[in-house]
Amino acid sequence: EAQVTQNPRYLITVTGKKLTVTCSQNMNHEYMSWYRQDPGLGLRQIYYSMNVEVTDKGDVPEGYKVSRKEKRNFPLILESPSPNQTSLYFCASSLESRLTYEQYFGPGTRLTVT
Amino acid sequence: AQSVTQPDIHITVSEGASLELRCNYSYGATPYLFWYVQSPGQGLQLLLKYFSGDTLVQGIKGFEAEFKRSQSSFNLRKPSVHWSDAAEYFCAVGGSISNFGNEKLTFGTGTRLTIIP
């Protein structure tokens, strides 16, 4: 089954404790992206990756890191989480970044930072 | 910069009634437009998309949307809603080219749909 998976689905952590949210897709998609969803703000892009070893900042990259060492994986790293990073996070992928652009979303990771 | 406005935060509709969710966009050229649905506790699922051609597009689950360039709108419609349609709906516009050619999606803030019996 074609899908985007994220782990963990729920995470409660404390300020400053480094964490990683994994994202994996099995569709051989080139483009991957991370979003955060906050009430009243919709989804905002954190980082994206056009292909392996190619990443760039989205609209709200502060406090986050990503890497794209393999085509299928795109982990989101919070080196020193803060309470303002409490949010619902979505990973998404699409076949390519141009023209026929259609994103498939993972189920989401609800993160709480205390 | 591209932007999307969904003016209705919350809409309540009776089961079996018709539905229209509003979406207005701002974009310098012909946009790519999308509607996504997010059911409670779920990720986003693509309902329909518009790239070019016929301005009335059909999607899954009986939804359709009409692109009106003159009004910068892409409203979502359904003739008769079902209780299972209760969800949050997001309109999105794409097509912004950064230095790396990122066809970034910009989302609206969403409209929550409640269905009453």
Side-chain angles (χ1 to χ4, degrees):
Chain A
E1 180 190 354
Q3 60 182 347
V4 179
T5 57
Q6 295 178 228
N7 282 292
R9 294 289 311 278
Y10 302 91
L11 179 60
I12 301 174
T13 190
V14 296
T15 299
K17 185 177 181 181
K18 180 179 178 180
L19 65 92
T20 298
V21 183
T22 65
C23 172
S24 183
Q25 50 90 7
N26 63 0
M27 296 169 279
N28 201 36
H29 283 176
E30 288 186 352
Y31 183 93
M32 297 186 74
S33 182
W34 275 103
Y35 296 88
R36 61 177 290 173
Q37 182 182 13
D38 302 290
L41 296 177
L43 281 83
R44 295 176 293 169
Q45 191 181 52
I46 302 170
Y47 268 94
Y48 65 92
S49 170
M50 306 281 283
N51 213 324
V52 177
E53 301 292 0
V54 181
T55 64
D56 203 358
K57 297 176 181 178
D59 296 320
V60 288
E62 295 77 21
Y64 304 95
K65 286 176 56 177
V66 294
S67 68
R68 187 92 181 272
K69 293 183 171 57
E70 306 167 279
K71 198 171 188 178
R72 65 183 294 127
N73 296 324
F74 189 46
L76 180 70
I77 303 157
L78 285 72
E79 294 270 4
S80 182
S82 62
N84 65 12
Q85 293 179 297
T86 292
S87 187
L88 180 57
Y89 291 86
F90 288 100
C91 180
S93 72
S94 66
L95 183 61
E96 56 185 285
S97 60
R98 300 177 180 272
L99 299 179
T100 54
Y101 187 76
E102 180 175 329
Q103 291 193 77
Y104 296 83
F105 283 79
T109 295
R110 185 166 293 281
L111 172 65
T112 301
V113 183
T114 61
Chain B
Q2 61 196 46
S3 66
V4 177
T5 301
Q6 292 180 250
D8 303 307
I9 296 172
H10 184 204
I11 285 183
T12 300
V13 177
S14 298
E15 190 168 15
S18 64
L19 170 71
E20 182 169 25
L21 301 183
R22 295 183 292 165
C23 172
N24 293 96
Y25 68 89
S26 173
Y27 187 69
T30 299
Y32 305 145
L33 293 159
F34 307 83
W35 275 99
Y36 283 86
V37 60
Q38 183 181 28
S39 298
Q42 304 295 315
L44 277 74
Q45 181 184 19
L46 182 67
L47 276 179
L48 47 78
K49 59 184 182 285
Y50 171 78
F51 288 155
S52 64
D54 193 346
T55 56
L56 185 64
V57 294
Q58 303 296 321
I60 62 171
K61 306 185 180 190
F63 285 92
E64 66 179 25
E66 186 171 13
F67 170 58
K68 292 185 177 180
R69 184 189 301 274
S70 61
Q71 298 177 19
S72 298
S73 69
F74 188 57
N75 294 349
L76 182 71
R77 302 195 294 248
K78 188 170 184 178
S80 175
V81 297
H82 185 262
W83 64 265
S84 60
D85 293 325
E88 188 144 21
Y89 292 80
F90 292 92
C91 182
V93 62
S96 173
I97 306 293
S98 74
N99 289 336
F100 294 93
N102 177 31
E103 292 279 356
K104 187 182 76 164
L105 278 184
T106 297
F107 287 86
T109 52
T111 298
R112 184 160 60 93
L113 176 64
T114 298
I115 308 295
I116 56 176

